[in-house]
Amino acid sequence: MENKRNFTRVNFDTRGELKYKNKTISAEIKNLSLKGAFFVTAETIPINDQNGKHPSLVGSTSDLSVSAKGKVVRVEESGIGVNITEINVDSFIHLKNIIQYNSGDPEKTVEEFQNYLKNTLGKK
């Protein structure tokens, strides 16, 4: 299987939530990147469905959280892969800091962050 990921993915065990329609699904977050996360849960959400999902990371030692809208891109027996489609600036900066701190290669994550901003802002 070809790896199409453009962003560093880090293991980051914390609890999280997926809000889908009128339901909140509690899950453990196994890993994350600037563009997505993998939620460990027995629940399922249809692939490509974006209606009402808001993946959020809630830290166990901090009041800081990452809140974003996303699209399910992978469903496995062990959980759900979500691609972030919309995120506010504060959450994005917090997510970037989590990844940078846990990556083992901070310079690479800073470069990914700068390229992401350049490509995102350049399209508007």
Side-chain angles (χ1 to χ4, degrees):
M1 182 170 159
E2 182 181 336
N3 187 348
K4 296 181 181 181
R5 294 185 177 134
N6 296 318
F7 298 98
T8 298
R9 182 166 295 271
V10 297
N11 292 330
F12 191 72
D13 293 324
T14 191
R15 63 186 177 87
E17 295 178 343
L18 286 165
K19 294 181 181 176
Y20 177 67
K21 296 188 178 177
N22 294 325
K23 185 177 182 181
T24 298
I25 301 169
S26 292
E28 292 297 316
I29 296 173
K30 180 179 179 180
N31 59 55
L32 51 96
S33 76
L34 286 176
K35 284 299 289 176
F38 188 81
F39 293 81
V40 177
T41 179
E43 300 280 342
T44 61
I45 297 173
I47 289 180
N48 293 324
D49 197 325
Q50 309 187 79
N51 298 324
K53 280 189 302 308
H54 304 278
S56 63
L57 288 63
V58 181
S60 59
T61 60
S62 173
D63 290 335
L64 295 173
S65 65
V66 172
S67 183
K69 291 185 180 180
K71 175 173 76 170
V72 173
V73 293
R74 191 170 86 237
V75 177
E76 298 178 1
E77 190 174 304
S78 62
I80 299 169
V82 175
N83 186 324
I84 296 171
T85 58
E86 188 177 315
I87 188 169
N88 68 44
V89 173
D90 291 337
S91 289
F92 185 76
I93 297 297
H94 186 53
L95 179 61
K96 182 214 48 112
N97 290 338
I98 291 169
I99 293 164
Q100 186 174 354
Y101 181 77
N102 290 281
S103 73
D105 190 352
E107 291 81 21
K108 181 180 177 189
T109 59
V110 168
E111 184 178 327
E112 291 171 351
F113 174 70
Q114 290 171 339
N115 288 337
Y116 177 80
L117 289 178
K118 186 187 318 179
N119 292 333
T120 301
L121 297 176
K123 291 180 182 178
K124 293 188 180 200

